[in-house]
Amino acid sequence: MAPDRDTKTLEERRQGDRRADAGQSSDDRSTAVREAIRSELESEIALGRSRRLRGPDSPPVVEVDHVSLAFDNPILEDVSFAAREGETIALVGESGTGKSTALKLILRLLIPDKGRVLIDGEDITHLSFEEALEVRQKMGMVFQGAALFDSMSVFENVAYPLREHTDLDEDQIRKRVEEKLQFVDLDPSRVMDQLPSELSGGMRKRVGIARGMANDAEIMLYDEPTSGLDPLTTSTITRLIMKLQRELKVTSLVVSHDIRSVFRMASKVALLYDRKITFFGTPEEMMASEDKYIQDFLGA
Amino acid sequence: MDEIGVKSLGIVLLTGLFTGMVLALQSSVQLKTFGATMYIGNLVSASMIRELGPVLAGLMVAGRVGSGIAAQLGSMRVTEQIDALNTLGTDPIKKLVTPRVLAALIMLPVLTVINDFVGIIGGNIIAAFVIGLPTSQYWRTVWDQIAADGFTMRYIPNDFVQGLSKPLVFGGLISITACYFGLGTTGGTEGVGVSTTRTVVTSSILILIVDYFITQLLLSVLSYGA
């Protein structure tokens, strides 16, 4: 029974505390914590084993090539990474290290001072405004706050890219919107007529994902997809991103602070520190790294 | 169009009516000393059509609509909805700015004409009930004034040219200022407040300054009194 289990857990915890007080040094305790975190992260990696990792021979879909950008201060310096088809690249790092800026460079909302950004092998750095709009149609972006148009219903939000860029008739649009909402585990009949302000944070994120993928984008970009969500919703969103990469073979770039979901879904992790990429490799390689900063960052 | 035009109608009607009334009331005091109260119609029509109609409608719309546009676009900017438009392959200028500027360009002259007309009616009310001037005479002096100010291309009264070109410019000024400050919003919700205030202050001042220069230009171009 649940109450018994709770009591037992509490009792165990008390015993543990007593043991700790009885003489374990703080070093031992932190080693224990680190061990716990390490095994938790390893189990997250194991959960995501099915994720795709492409060999170096498959051409990169998104390539950031020696990019530097500065506003008043330098933001990114000589940053390079690539995502091959179907891979999920996670950009991690402390706040303010330019992770979201990197996404904006890929979307060409910003233009790098130096270096190139390539989408499907095409250099998008010097495209005109109209050409950039065209390239962006290959990409779907999920914003941190979902960025749904608050004057439009959920249906209109998801239908927006379809109305703008396809010749689908009203019935086809409705069908496609329903399909996308179902894909993100929302009940179309219940949410379609609601306004974004009437939805919970997790639901808004899911509508954001549905809108991002409405046009069958081949590249999905996520800016902090799980920030500000409870652990259950976080896990739902993580599963959803994995479902997208598994079923639709979408190439994804995820900016996140949530190292657990990153380890579950990422094919490779890029760690930004001090305006540069200090690590780029698989979660397993990251775990195995001896680097002090990486170990501190993982808390392991 | 509905937001800028129809929903601003009430405020513009009220402004026009009371401006016309107070104009008639104030000028009646002065004109009485010369025994010239019969010229109230001239005064009200010239002031309303040339100056007060466009400027007051402009200021009202700057306060009501300019602030609204800035706040709306500002909150879209800080909640990343503008970036979302961009990433969905839409040009935010075409989608958000163009329709607002067009609506303001069309609706401000319409509102001004209504403002002028209601103002002149306001003057009529005071002329008839306070000063005791017959309505027919009031309207004759209104028309006399319009005719006396001359015509452009023989048939278009100069006063109308002045009275309609101004709101067209003001409409553009208000909407472009509001979109500029709205889209340039930074700093979260506080930034939205700053953009809104800047829009109202800047567009109101611009209206008054630009009004002076348009008047000077038109007075030298149009053959007044001809």
Side-chain angles (χ1 to χ4, degrees):
Chain A
M1 294 235 319
D4 281 356
R5 204 165 55 226
D6 282 353
T7 325
K8 204 174 165 190
T9 317
L10 270 175
E11 187 50 39
E12 277 172 1
R13 208 178 296 160
R14 270 192 219 109
Q15 278 175 5
D17 287 349
R18 273 197 290 275
R19 267 202 307 276
D21 292 342
Q24 262 188 331
S25 73
S26 64
D27 265 4
D28 286 348
R29 253 181 295 166
S30 72
T31 313
V33 171
R34 279 170 178 266
E35 275 309 314
I37 293 174
R38 180 169 281 274
S39 78
E40 204 179 325
L41 289 178
E42 273 162 2
S43 65
E44 292 290 348
I45 294 176
L47 277 170
R49 279 275 144 74
S50 63
R51 68 189 175 274
R52 299 154 70 85
L53 186 61
R54 287 306 190 91
D57 50 320
S58 87
V61 177
V62 179
E63 192 177 357
V64 175
D65 183 23
H66 299 289
V67 160
S68 297
L69 179 75
F71 295 127
D72 293 335
N73 298 309
I75 311 278
L76 295 171
E77 274 175 19
D78 198 25
V79 165
S80 297
F81 59 87
R84 297 175 199 286
E85 193 198 351
E87 282 186 342
T88 299
I89 307 293
L91 291 169
V92 298
E94 294 169 56
S95 303
T97 44
K99 304 186 295 291
S100 302
T101 309
L103 284 193
K104 288 189 175 167
L105 284 165
I106 293 167
L107 283 163
R108 209 189 166 278
L109 292 175
L110 294 170
I111 301 168
D113 299 334
K114 272 189 223 149
R116 304 179 304 163
V117 177
L118 295 105
I119 304 292
D120 282 337
E122 183 192 3
D123 184 356
I124 61 163
T125 324
H126 302 293
L127 295 186
S128 70
F129 183 75
E130 278 74 21
E131 288 167 332
L133 289 178
E134 196 93 349
V135 170
R136 283 185 202 130
Q137 289 176 43
K138 292 182 182 175
M139 300 184 250
M141 168 83 178
V142 180
F143 289 88
Q144 196 170 350
L148 302 177
F149 303 126
D150 37 32
S151 55
M152 295 181 189
S153 67
V154 167
F155 172 76
E156 289 299 331
N157 262 286
V158 182
Y160 185 87
L162 302 173
R163 291 199 201 288
E164 286 288 303
H165 304 298
T166 64
D167 299 324
L168 299 180
D169 64 35
E170 204 49 33
D171 283 345
Q172 289 168 312
I173 288 180
R174 180 161 285 271
K175 218 171 128 226
R176 182 88 79 94
V177 171
E178 282 175 353
E179 205 177 279
K180 300 296 172 191
L181 287 173
Q182 270 159 359
F183 189 90
V184 296
D185 299 330
L186 288 171
D187 177 6
S189 59
R190 218 166 63 87
V191 295
M192 263 199 332
D193 297 324
Q194 286 187 300
L195 286 171
S197 56
E198 296 168 317
L199 303 177
S200 71
M203 284 165 98
R204 273 206 291 274
K205 280 266 162 73
R206 280 188 270 173
V207 175
I209 295 176
R211 184 180 67 181
M213 59 183 276
N215 227 353
D216 294 332
E218 53 181 281
I219 304 160
M220 287 292 286
L221 310 169
Y222 304 86
D223 191 3
E224 303 275 2
T226 56
S227 75
L229 298 177
D230 62 84
L232 272 179
T233 319
T234 298
S235 149
T236 312
I237 299 284
T238 309
R239 270 207 309 274
L240 202 55
I241 296 174
M242 292 173 73
K243 186 172 158 193
L244 230 82
Q245 74 190 63
R246 200 174 51 239
E247 292 180 16
L248 305 177
K249 320 274 182 274
V250 171
T251 308
S252 315
L253 283 115
V254 186
V255 161
S256 182
H257 278 120
D258 183 357
I259 201 76
R260 288 181 55 195
S261 8
V262 162
F263 270 26
R264 192 186 296 191
M265 63 190 166
S267 325
K268 283 184 189 155
V269 183
L271 174 66
L272 273 162
Y273 173 66
D274 197 20
R275 306 185 288 275
K276 295 187 180 77
I277 292 212
T278 50
F279 171 85
F280 184 55
T282 62
E284 288 89 344
E285 287 165 356
M286 196 173 194
M287 279 294 288
S289 169
E290 302 273 307
D291 187 280
K292 174 92 174 60
Y293 179 74
I294 292 176
Q295 289 306 316
D296 282 349
F297 185 81
L298 297 179
Chain B
M1 199 89 92
D2 174 56
E3 183 62 37
I4 296 180
V6 182
K7 290 184 181 160
S8 301
L9 199 58
I11 191 174
V12 165
L13 283 176
L14 269 178
T15 317
L17 184 72
F18 281 96
T19 310
M21 281 165 66
V22 81
L23 207 58
L25 203 58
Q26 286 282 16
S27 50
S28 72
V29 179
Q30 300 299 318
L31 291 175
K32 212 176 215 166
T33 51
F34 306 110
T37 45
M38 57 192 272
Y39 294 118
I40 275 185
N42 302 54
L43 207 136
V44 171
S45 87
S47 321
M48 278 312 290
I49 297 174
R50 283 198 230 160
E51 278 305 326
L52 292 174
V55 170
L56 288 177
L59 292 177
M60 289 300 134
V61 170
R64 193 189 167 280
V65 179
S67 59
I69 292 177
Q72 194 189 19
L73 297 190
S75 31
M76 284 184 81
R77 165 61 78 196
V78 298
T79 54
E80 295 183 303
Q81 290 179 54
I82 305 285
D83 284 341
L85 273 178
N86 256 320
T87 54
L88 290 170
T90 317
D91 179 359
I93 304 285
K94 269 190 207 151
K95 195 80 193 171
L96 300 171
V97 177
T98 313
R100 282 169 175 78
V101 172
L102 278 179
L105 285 178
I106 296 169
M107 290 322 282
L108 205 60
V110 174
L111 286 173
T112 300
V113 170
I114 296 169
N115 196 18
D116 293 347
F117 188 66
V118 174
I120 295 170
I121 290 178
N124 186 7
I125 293 170
I126 297 299
F129 295 105
V130 180
I131 303 158
L133 194 72
T135 298
S136 58
Q137 188 174 352
Y138 175 82
W139 282 97
R140 202 172 57 242
T141 53
V142 166
W143 177 245
D144 280 351
Q145 181 63 39
I146 294 169
D149 285 333
F151 293 86
T152 299
M153 293 190 293
R154 286 187 70 165
Y155 299 109
I156 310 165
N158 282 341
D159 280 358
F160 288 7
V161 174
Q162 232 194 104
L164 286 175
S165 56
K166 283 178 182 178
L168 196 71
V169 177
F170 297 163
L173 270 181
I174 296 166
S175 51
I176 291 170
T177 310
C179 291
Y180 175 77
F181 284 121
L183 289 178
T185 303
T186 51
T189 40
E190 208 180 304
V192 177
V194 173
S195 304
T196 311
T197 312
R198 276 192 191 152
T199 298
V200 177
V201 172
T202 312
S203 51
S204 303
I205 291 173
L206 279 178
I207 285 172
L208 295 172
I209 296 174
V210 170
D211 177 55
Y212 171 79
F213 288 105
I214 299 178
T215 308
Q216 200 174 45
L217 178 79
L218 289 181
L219 284 180
S220 63
V221 172
L222 301 173
S223 44
Y224 259 86

